[in-house]
Structures are given as C-alpha cells and as structure tokens.
Amino acid sequence: MGTLGESMARLLARCPARWRVALCAAVGLIPFALAVTAGCLDASPGEIHGSRPLAPLSFRQYAVNLRKVPARPIIPAHFEFINRGSTPLKITELEPSCGCLNPKLEGDKQIFQPGEVGRFFVRVATANETPGPKHYTIKVKYEAPEPAEELLTFRLELPQRKLTVEPSEVYFYQLNGQPDERTIYVTDYRGGDLAIESVESSSELVATTIGAAETTEGGHRRIPIQLGIPANVPAGRRVTSVKIRTNDPDYHSLYVPILIEALPTTENTIIPASAETVEEQP
C-alpha cells in the first residue's frame, strides 16, 4: 500500500482536468480546518502527575554574584527568603563551604511562620583571602516540619591584596595536655608604616603577644602575633576569635577565627563528636 500522497496523485491522474483544480483547492484547506478545530477545543493545561511540590523555603536569589569588588576589609552580602509553606519553618543550620563567610541569621531568629520573611548575612574578610575569583556555597538546612535543605552560591572577585593575615584561620588540637602556640602574620604590601595597636581575644584560653616588625624577602613589612593556649584546656571543642586593631584606616579591624579542641583528661569522660561550644564569631 502506498502513502497518502501517492494515493492522492493517482486519484488526480484519473480525474478530468476541469475537476483537478477544485480538488487541489479542497485538499489545501484540510490543514486550515484542522487548526480551526483544535482552536475550538479546550486548551487549558491539565494536572501534571508526578511533579514535585514547591519547597516551603523560597529564596529571592539562589545565587549572588558581586563580580569585582573594591579593596575593602569586609565584603558583606545577604540572602532573603520566605516561608511559603503552611506550617512553621525552622532554620537549623547554615553550613558554608568556607569558614570565612561566617553566615548569621538576622537577629539570630530561627523559626518563621507561614508567609514570614527572613534573611541571613555573609561577610568575607579580604585580608584573610587570596585575590582572584571566589566561588562559595552555603547549605541551608531547615525543618518544615520534615528536614530539607537548599544550596546557595556566592561569587565575587577579590582585588590585589594590600594587607593580609596569614594563616586566615588557626587550629589548636590539644591531645596530650601540653601548652601550645601558633603565630599569625599581618603583612603590608603597600610599603606603609603599618603598626598593630592591639590584639583582643574573645576567649580567656587564648593569650596574645605582638612581636617586633619584620621585613620579608620581598621587602614588605610584616608583624607577627603569637597565640598560645595553656596546658589542660577543658575537654571539648570551642570556636572563638581574635580581633586585631591596626593604624590603617582602611583595615582598622581584622578578625581571625580560632578552633580549640581538647581531648578529655580521664578515660571515663566522654565527649560526643557533635559537642561544640561557640564562644564568639566575628
């Protein structure tokens, strides 16, 4: 059996010449008639079975890109969200890909009623980061009432460094009950007369000492700061920080986060792996 086109060709060949024009015109109207018929039918969309329901936690922006930022000590940003569910929503954790973001909920508020709007802030200390493009993520964990999470992205490009703090984070792991020390360096790449005015620790466990200024191999001024913890720090994990004040008007306050983790001093003392004491974060 031939195709529909072949059948029509044979039919036209057998028809008298005077009928062929009328027959071709009638065949040409078939697509138009089908289009009119389809337009008269109900074209409203039906329910799509198997589609995922909308998440109760909705963000105004799931990605923030500040592009190239100016040379400033702190670069802030924020994410705004709404509870579009029908039950209260609780933000249980903001998990950043880098501790330098230090995400915080506005007003430390965690529970949001249906229709309520909230926000959280992030901030990047530029002196603690190398220059160039940066790509960070923040995993937002919540309950509404079932546990769920959303992944947000934060991008920016940091300019050439003018002043740095290295290392950007300090870790103390006390495994044997002995005192421990670390040194951080504040370096000025602009050739100025940088001076450290003060160093403040947010924890009594961390002692600080400002050392004498040095000159690096590249000819830059560098000031060391010694950090120390005593013997037999109480068992557990603590997140604290030091605040460094300089004579530079653009980088007057610098922050360095510190993690202190100590093992129990007796075999009968058990510290859960999730135990953590947050003393202060910048």
Side-chain angles (χ1 to χ4, degrees):
M1 181 179 293
T3 63
L4 178 59
E6 293 172 348
S7 300
M8 292 299 299
R10 288 195 296 269
L11 177 61
L12 289 174
R14 292 197 295 269
C15 290
R18 63 179 181 273
W19 289 0
R20 291 177 186 173
V21 176
L23 185 58
C24 289
V27 171
L29 291 174
I30 291 176
F32 173 76
L34 293 175
V36 172
T37 303
C40 295
L41 297 176
D42 183 10
S44 59
E47 180 181 358
I48 300 177
H49 297 284
S51 61
R52 294 180 57 188
L54 295 176
L57 181 62
S58 176
F59 283 86
R60 185 176 182 180
Q61 287 182 287
Y62 287 82
V64 171
N65 188 352
L66 300 183
R67 296 181 173 82
K68 192 169 184 177
V69 297
R72 296 176 181 171
I74 298 293
I75 302 298
H78 73 273
F79 290 85
E80 189 171 288
F81 57 86
I82 184 173
N83 177 9
R84 63 183 177 188
S86 57
T87 60
L89 181 150
K90 181 180 181 181
I91 304 292
T92 57
E93 185 179 359
L94 300 175
E95 182 181 304
S97 59
C98 173
C100 61
L101 292 182
N102 190 31
K104 284 188 177 182
L105 286 163
E106 185 176 35
D108 293 328
K109 183 179 176 64
Q110 288 184 285
I111 299 178
F112 300 86
Q113 301 301 319
E116 188 174 1
V117 174
R119 66 175 61 183
F120 73 87
F121 300 89
V122 295
R123 47 185 286 176
V124 177
T126 59
N128 299 43
E129 299 295 306
T130 57
K134 303 295 177 182
H135 179 195
Y136 306 106
T137 61
I138 307 100
K139 186 180 295 184
V140 182
K141 299 182 180 181
Y142 67 97
E143 297 174 354
E146 297 298 323
E149 61 185 42
E150 295 286 349
L151 187 65
L152 311 177
T153 60
F154 177 42
R155 297 173 182 266
L156 75 165
E157 183 178 346
L158 296 177
Q160 190 65 31
R161 295 187 295 184
K162 295 184 177 181
L163 186 147
T164 64
V165 178
E166 296 175 317
S168 58
E169 300 175 343
V170 175
Y171 301 89
F172 285 101
Y173 296 101
Q174 192 176 71
L175 307 179
N176 53 11
Q178 298 297 317
D180 202 357
E181 292 183 351
R182 298 286 187 274
T183 302
I184 57 178
Y185 296 91
V186 180
T187 306
D188 186 358
Y189 288 87
R190 297 163 296 180
D193 189 18
L194 177 70
I196 304 297
E197 296 179 345
S198 65
V199 179
E200 303 171 6
S201 172
S202 60
S203 172
E204 296 180 352
L205 295 174
V206 181
T208 64
T209 304
I210 303 174
E214 307 170 350
T215 302
T216 66
E217 294 181 357
H220 303 297
R221 184 179 177 84
R222 182 176 76 170
I223 302 176
I225 301 173
Q226 284 79 36
L227 308 178
I229 61 172
N232 299 320
V233 170
R237 178 181 301 170
R238 294 166 176 80
V239 178
T240 182
S241 65
V242 292
K243 181 178 182 180
I244 305 169
R245 292 188 179 275
T246 78
N247 64 343
D248 190 303
D250 294 329
Y251 294 85
H252 185 57
S253 297
L254 307 171
Y255 295 89
V256 178
I258 300 174
L259 171 68
I260 305 174
E261 187 166 8
L263 293 179
T265 55
T266 63
E267 296 181 357
N268 296 328
T269 305
I270 299 177
I271 301 296
S274 60
E276 181 172 317
T277 301
V278 179
E279 298 185 0
E280 181 184 329
Q281 295 184 8

